[in-house]
Amino acid sequence: MSDSSNPAHAPAHTPAHIHLRQPNTTPVNAPEAQVPADHELVLKVIPMPADANANGDIFGGWVMAQVDLAGSVLPARYAQGRMATVAVNQFIFKQPVRVGDILSFYARMERIGRTSMTVNVGVYAERFASQGRYIKVTEATLTYVAIDDHGKPRAVPQSLL
């Protein structure tokens, strides 16, 4: 009988580069991380059971929605009005997020153009049983565009640049 939780004992049909893990466990190689000093804390949230799949891992789409909200905080200061998410330039899930984790979203402006603004968002989890210790779970770069009342791009006000 094969033990599918151990990659060395994975079934023969499992490709060698796939590493199976037990549900709801923190991978041993999840390094502790320092929250970035050059980013601003823009959101903190605790995922609930309704946000999770049957294994207790939080849905990636839920995390993406939270990142979009967090990512919009800093550009909103520059847009001074309506804006829209126009691109998710990069989105990396580094570690699973679980029910009860305290998620901290840190953002930094990467670029401010004539109508668009690009922001980097890092998401750090404090596991329920080890609060005060962080692991980086997600990293993303998003682009927002300032828009007018008709949804057309408009210039980002220069007064704050």
Side-chain angles (χ1 to χ4, degrees), residues 141-153:
T141 304
L142 303 96
T143 300
Y144 300 85
V145 168
I147 57 174
D148 64 19
D149 291 336
H150 304 290
K152 302 291 183 199

Side-chain angles (χ1 to χ4, degrees), residues 81-151:
R82 288 183 66 192
M83 62 182 199
T85 308
V86 295
V88 177
N89 310 87
Q90 175 183 319
F91 206 103
I92 302 169
F93 293 101
K94 295 178 170 287
Q95 299 292 336
V97 175
R98 296 193 309 248
V99 172
D101 286 350
I102 300 172
L103 299 182
S104 299
F105 296 74
Y106 287 84
R108 180 183 70 196
M109 294 300 296
E110 295 287 324
R111 188 185 79 73
I112 302 170
R114 193 180 74 76
T115 62
S116 67
M117 299 152 288
T118 302
V119 63
N120 175 271
V121 179
V123 185
Y124 297 81
E126 294 174 80
R127 299 295 191 203
F128 184 76
S130 59
Q131 294 180 23
R133 294 176 47 207
Y134 295 89
I135 61 168
K136 189 171 193 178
V137 293
T138 305
E139 183 175 343
T141 304
L142 303 96
T143 300
Y144 300 85
V145 168
I147 57 174
D148 64 19
D149 291 336
H150 304 290

Side-chain angles (χ1 to χ4, degrees), residues 39-101:
H39 285 53
E40 184 174 338
L41 177 65
V42 292
L43 179 68
K44 273 188 158 307
V45 66
I46 300 173
M48 302 305 284
D51 307 316
N53 63 23
N55 293 324
D57 293 326
I58 301 304
F59 291 117
W62 182 89
V63 175
M64 292 177 84
Q66 302 306 307
V67 166
D68 192 18
L69 289 170
S72 69
V73 172
L74 298 181
R77 294 177 185 168
Y78 294 94
Q80 295 184 341
R82 288 183 66 192
M83 62 182 199
T85 308
V86 295
V88 177
N89 310 87
Q90 175 183 319
F91 206 103
I92 302 169
F93 293 101
K94 295 178 170 287
Q95 299 292 336
V97 175
R98 296 193 309 248
V99 172
D101 286 350

